[in-house]
Amino acid sequence: MSRLPNEAVAEDKACRCHRMSLRCLPTPPMAVIVRWTAFSHSSLAFFPSPSATARLSLPRRTFSRFTRRLSLATSPPAYPESGDPTSSKVLLKGMEFSELEKWVKSQGFRSGQALMLWKCLYGNNNWAQSCDELAGLNKEFRKMLSENSSLMALSVKDVLTASDGTRKVGPSFSFSAIRLCLILMGLRKHLSTAEIVEQAVFARRLFSSEFGSITNVVFMGMGEPLHNIDNVIKAAAIMVDEQGLQFSPRKVTVSTSGLVPQLKRFLHESTCALAVSLNATTDEVRNWIMPINRKYNLSLLLETLREELSSKHKYKVLFEYVLLAGVNDSMEDAKRLIELVRGIPCKINLISFNPHCGTQFKPTPEEKMIEFRNVLAEAGVVVFLRLSRGDDQMAACGQLGKPGYIQPPLLRVPQRFQMAV
């Protein structure tokens, strides 16, 4: 097993409030949202919008009653197949088109057949997951693919349904020949490019006929996506490919706790959107609830965003702010937040905290969340309010994993916040 560098492990420990928090995009009209991360506790969440009923020609009550949320991971590892280092099979969904084309040609077939295969994997509502579903490819090509490649990267173990209709799908894992990362739920793995991409394919196969097009994607979950930046950037590129899954770059969002070097690289190399978990308006509080701030503090993080976004046309970062009762939800915090983001093209997502056994924090009452939002809105800030769903089955954001036996140590609570936890 190849382990992550010590620095990455330390940073991942320091990002845990980013993982605990509920992080999601405002639900746009006429859309269904998919959400996941680059870590093993990954999640897909589907939010059928009531306003989408006209387009889908389904009863309005169908969409008002159901929210679907899935927690998916992987089995077997993506490359080599089945976690076997001696296997010569490749997992097709781990390749961008240029790589797929090169591989197909190396097997003695034409570039045009690579494009046909690509469209079978991602385009024209095909979303193939086995060689039997590769319609339109000639017999010799299909035989070669069957012998030398694999299309599957996901396995689902169980399904839980919350009282509000939210559904949580649990994964099966295989842990041979994987890279490790320490996260809130214990040691897990980075997802490969193929494992990330197949979640989008899986979601479309499972829900498109019922809810219509899945249009929004967010990388998030129980880990820090930018610790897996190579696979994240590659998977995002596959998703926005015009011959493939055809997601809009504006609707594919990567969420981060604020790893500044990786954040800069992402903004330079990807056309997709960025979300940053802010969660505090002072270094004192952010050092406590998000220790990554001790390495990349608020001033460095926000100044980096100001500088990088100054050259990006019509690009806005989404700031995610999880409200914690008595910690970061005062009206003084709201006023400081206005000043902190001044000059940064942005939107702010105010998020309800979902309690779980790994934390002492408590959610801010809804009335106070609304008051906090109103202060921001009156100052001209674009702000959204996100409340919780599915928490009775641990299916809400920040609850998508199952807490393990290993719990991270609780950090010392600053004196002035002793009464809040």
Side-chain angles (χ1 to χ4, degrees), residues 31-232:
V32 178
I33 290 180
V34 186
R35 187 177 68 247
W36 68 77
T37 186
F39 275 72
S40 59
H41 275 290
S42 54
S43 59
L44 281 79
F46 304 88
F47 298 95
S49 169
S51 61
T53 55
R55 183 183 64 171
L56 301 176
S57 301
L58 291 174
R60 185 179 184 88
R61 61 181 179 275
T62 301
F63 293 90
S64 62
R65 291 174 55 201
F66 289 97
T67 297
R68 300 194 178 232
R69 184 164 301 167
L70 295 92
S71 176
L72 292 177
T74 61
S75 176
Y79 190 98
E81 186 187 21
S82 302
D84 180 2
T86 65
S87 173
S88 60
K89 286 194 173 184
V90 300
L91 193 50
L92 299 179
K93 295 188 181 78
M95 303 182 195
E96 293 184 69
F97 178 72
S98 59
E99 296 171 302
L100 181 69
E101 183 180 37
K102 182 178 179 180
W103 180 77
V104 167
K105 290 172 70 175
S106 74
Q107 301 296 317
F109 294 89
R110 296 178 290 104
S111 297
Q113 289 169 301
L115 181 58
M116 292 176 66
L117 172 59
W118 184 262
K119 291 183 177 180
C120 285
L121 295 175
Y122 305 122
N124 303 323
N125 298 331
N126 290 326
W127 313 317
Q129 288 187 309
S130 73
C131 288
D132 293 337
E133 297 176 345
L134 298 176
L137 303 185
N138 68 47
K139 182 178 179 180
E140 290 76 15
F141 190 35
R142 288 200 310 272
K143 180 180 178 183
M144 184 279 292
L145 293 173
S146 178
E147 293 173 349
N148 296 285
S149 68
S150 177
L151 280 70
M152 288 289 292
L154 293 177
S155 177
V156 176
K157 181 179 179 181
D158 54 22
V159 179
L160 298 175
T161 302
S163 59
D164 63 2
T166 298
R167 297 191 183 184
K168 177 180 178 180
V169 179
S172 300
F173 287 99
S174 175
F175 285 111
S176 57
I178 60 175
R179 298 183 67 191
L180 296 179
C181 185
L182 183 66
I183 65 172
L184 185 64
M185 303 306 167
L187 288 173
R188 293 295 186 267
K189 55 170 279 186
H190 282 316
L191 296 189
S192 69
T193 298
E195 292 165 337
I196 298 171
V197 170
E198 189 163 329
Q199 293 183 68
V201 174
F202 180 92
R204 284 187 166 174
R205 284 175 63 102
L206 191 61
F207 291 111
S208 288
S209 61
E210 187 171 356
F211 294 126
S213 296
I214 294 170
T215 59
N216 287 52
V217 178
V218 184
F219 288 70
M220 59 176 54
M222 307 310 292
E224 166 56 65
L226 293 189
H227 275 155
N228 192 14
I229 189 168
D230 291 334
N231 288 335
V232 164

Side-chain angles (χ1 to χ4, degrees), residues 289-419:
I289 66 175
M290 296 185 68
I292 192 65
N293 193 74
R294 300 173 187 179
K295 185 169 185 178
Y296 308 114
N297 64 23
L298 281 170
S299 177
L300 175 61
L301 174 61
L302 296 174
E303 194 54 42
T304 298
L305 287 169
R306 282 190 185 90
E307 180 179 343
E308 294 296 329
L309 298 186
S310 65
S311 60
K312 294 181 77 72
H313 182 60
K314 294 184 178 180
Y315 191 100
K316 288 186 177 182
V317 64
L318 175 68
F319 286 116
E320 299 161 324
Y321 195 95
V322 181
L323 288 160
L324 306 171
V327 175
N328 64 358
D329 62 349
S330 69
M331 295 309 106
E332 289 72 24
D333 280 303
K335 293 173 184 177
R336 281 193 295 267
L337 183 55
I338 293 167
E339 294 305 315
L340 283 175
V341 303
R342 195 177 299 279
I344 301 176
C346 68
K347 300 173 286 186
I348 295 178
N349 214 13
L350 299 180
I351 300 164
S352 175
F353 177 69
N354 295 307
H356 54 84
C357 64
T359 180
Q360 296 174 304
F361 296 122
K362 301 178 182 67
T364 296
E366 184 175 340
E367 299 77 13
K368 192 168 185 180
M369 291 184 67
I370 293 171
E371 184 181 3
F372 196 102
R373 177 200 61 187
N374 290 345
V375 171
L376 300 180
E378 288 168 4
V381 176
V382 179
V383 59
F384 304 92
L385 188 63
R386 299 295 301 179
L387 301 177
S388 177
R389 286 182 173 178
D391 57 343
D392 63 311
Q393 286 289 351
M394 285 290 287
C397 293
Q399 299 178 336
L400 292 171
K402 181 179 180 181
Y405 296 108
I406 301 174
Q407 293 293 333
L410 296 176
L411 297 180
R412 183 183 61 83
V413 181
Q415 184 65 36
R416 69 189 185 94
F417 296 108
Q418 292 287 341
M419 299 299 294

